[in-house]
Amino acid sequence: MKVDLLQMVETGGCSSKISPRQLEEFLKYLPVPHDPNILVNIDTHDDAGVYRVNDELALVFTTDFFPPVCSDPFEFGQIAAANSISDVYAMGGTPVIALNIMMFPSSSLPLEACAEILKGGADIASEAGVRIIGGHTIDDFPPKYGLAVVGYIHPEKIITNSGAKPGDLLILTKPIGIGVILAGQRMKMSSEKDVNLAKKLMKTLNYSGAEVMKKYNIKGATDVTGYGLAGHALKMARASNVTIEMYLGKVPLIGDTYRLVDDGCIPGAAFRNLEFVENDSHLTMDVRYNLKMICMDAQTSGGLLMCVPPEVSENILSDLHKTGFPRSAVIGRVIEKKEKYLNLEN
Ligand code: CO
Ligand code: CO
Ligand code: CO
């Protein structure tokens, strides 16, 4: 029996996240533990928490899981694992160990599909040098999968949302449009070529991006996932108390993303993200509607968004182009805090 996981879900991947606005609403009630060894907590909405063990070592700790973004169980496992591990890379860490988190409807899917998801996860984990040493499984519909990951980092070399400085240029490593392409796939409007490219991008580890950031001593970065390019840029701008200016015409897009938005492929998550960033954003009059909605589009296992000093930006781009991220581009810059946290231009 050929399993098609996409038949089981309305939305998958990071577009299944709770809306950023609702998240902020209930995070207010979460008590923040006080401990001098907590180096990064939820205050800055970072990709992972960081806990200091000693002067040389801190642990980066994160988890992500979601419903299927593709039909094939093995590929779903690969994508979910790459996405989970990405948060460690976004902090500048080295992922080391992980636990599987699996929800699986054992009465409606063959157990082989469960095994395939886990094998896909193990495949990407081993590519990242991560050892999966356990996990937890719940009988549940629809299936969901991801990892809880622990990484190592030097306590003085943590890359956070709060590290953006006025003058920095903004580099994005992977083209965007994942949510649009996948919505188009459901409506039979996306080309097979674009769907395959989207899947390839989602499976691509952010490993070499993290290596480049370490090499050039970058301080501010995140990865682009469920809140879209604009949502994650806003989280950085707020945590760093700066304004981030983005030139939407320079943002690299996957295949026919722009045209698909013309044809109405705008997933619901993009509207939720727009609602989240709207009040904190200044849009110039001429910003094209398509580009605005694309920068709200929820990405799954998206690229790194780095704030880099201008004098090293050319070297960083050339390193990224050579190490598996040929479409990396400068898409904006960081300036002193203006009236709004985000300036969106064409
Ligand atoms: Co993240
Ligand atoms: Co995450
Ligand atoms: Co357990």
Side-chain angles (χ1 to χ4, degrees), residues 5 70 72-79 113 115-117 119-121 123:
L5 295 178
C70 61
D72 181 69
F74 185 82
E75 278 189 306
F76 169 46
Q78 288 179 307
I79 292 167
E116 283 299 307
I117 296 171
K119 276 197 250 172
D123 175 62

Side-chain angles (χ1 to χ4, degrees), residues 159-172 213 216-222 233 236-237 240 242 244 304-310 312-313 316 332-334:
I159 302 173
T160 65
N161 278 351
S162 53
K165 286 200 188 56
D168 285 348
L169 295 177
L170 202 62
I171 289 179
L172 176 67
M213 294 200 294
Y216 292 96
N217 207 9
I218 297 312
K219 300 284 181 221
T222 187
M236 270 209 288
S240 304
V242 294
I244 290 181
L304 295 174
L305 184 64
M306 330 172 168
C307 302
V308 315
V312 292
S313 66
I316 288 180
R333 63 180 183 136
V334 182

Side-chain angles (χ1 to χ4, degrees), residues 9-326:
V9 287
E10 289 285 317
T11 58
C14 290
S15 48
S16 309
K17 283 204 209 192
I18 283 185
S19 92
R21 199 175 256 185
Q22 285 173 315
L23 182 69
E24 286 190 343
E25 207 38 53
F26 64 72
L27 279 183
K28 284 198 296 225
Y29 300 101
L30 187 70
V32 181
H34 290 280
D35 176 338
N37 289 321
I38 299 174
L39 304 181
V40 177
N41 64 14
I42 60 169
D43 277 355
T44 50
H45 292 244
D46 260 288
D47 298 292
V50 184
Y51 189 81
R52 184 184 164 285
V53 177
N54 57 42
D55 287 347
E56 307 286 304
L57 177 70
L59 300 178
V60 184
F61 195 24
T62 178
T63 185
D64 269 44
F65 59 90
F66 49 54
V69 270
C70 61
S71 299
D72 181 69
F74 185 82
E75 278 189 306
F76 169 46
Q78 288 179 307
I79 292 167
N83 180 73
S84 303
I85 296 168
S86 175
D87 281 324
V88 175
Y89 291 135
M91 305 298 290
T94 303
V96 183
I97 49 171
L99 300 175
N100 282 316
I101 296 171
M102 167 70 93
M103 282 138 250
F104 191 81
S106 61
S107 56
S108 52
L109 275 180
L111 283 175
E112 291 79 45
C114 180
E116 283 299 307
I117 296 171
L118 293 176
K119 276 197 250 172
D123 175 62
I124 288 291
S126 90
E127 187 186 328
V130 171
R131 298 92 174 143
I132 296 179
I133 56 175
H136 190 73
T137 315
I138 290 282
D139 204 315
D140 189 30
F141 179 90
K144 297 161 203 84
Y145 175 64
L147 302 174
V149 190
V150 173
Y152 289 161
I153 197 163
H154 191 285
E156 274 148 28
K157 294 186 177 152
I158 306 166
I159 302 173
T160 65
N161 278 351
S162 53
K165 286 200 188 56
D168 285 348
L169 295 177
L170 202 62
I171 289 179
L172 176 67
T173 65
K174 291 185 191 176
I176 64 170
I178 299 271
V180 172
I181 300 289
L182 296 179
Q185 182 190 22
R186 282 171 191 282
M187 300 193 261
K188 310 229 178 307
M189 290 159 74
S190 295
S191 68
E192 206 184 319
K193 184 170 158 251
D194 285 357
V195 172
N196 287 337
L197 175 58
K199 286 195 283 190
K200 186 176 160 229
L201 285 163
M202 290 189 283
K203 290 182 213 169
T204 303
L205 287 169
N206 281 321
Y207 165 78
S208 59
E211 288 301 299
V212 171
M213 294 200 294
K214 286 190 245 178
K215 177 174 166 191
Y216 292 96
N217 207 9
I218 297 312
K219 300 284 181 221
T222 187
D223 60 348
V224 180
T225 56
Y227 304 143
L229 178 59
H232 290 282
L234 173 59
K235 283 178 180 278
M236 270 209 288
R238 277 188 189 166
S240 304
N241 197 32
V242 294
T243 289
I244 290 181
E245 214 166 59
M246 291 201 284
Y247 317 118
L248 303 187
K250 297 209 161 133
V251 176
L253 304 181
I254 301 167
D256 280 333
T257 298
Y258 192 92
R259 190 185 54 74
L260 286 166
V261 171
D262 264 341
D263 296 343
C265 286
I266 310 177
F271 292 100
R272 284 205 307 269
N273 290 338
L274 175 62
E275 202 181 289
F276 170 63
V277 302
E278 232 165 11
N279 288 337
D280 284 316
S281 306
H282 174 80
L283 280 87
T284 52
M285 291 296 287
D286 60 341
V287 167
R288 277 175 284 165
Y289 179 77
N290 290 24
L291 292 181
K292 178 177 94 175
M293 291 317 291
I294 291 166
C295 83
M296 307 299 160
D297 183 40
Q299 306 301 293
T300 297
S301 192
L304 295 174
L305 184 64
M306 330 172 168
C307 302
V308 315
E311 59 275 15
V312 292
S313 66
E314 282 302 318
N315 289 341
I316 288 180
L317 275 183
S318 115
D319 281 10
L320 287 168
H321 291 162
K322 277 184 277 195
T323 54
F325 297 94

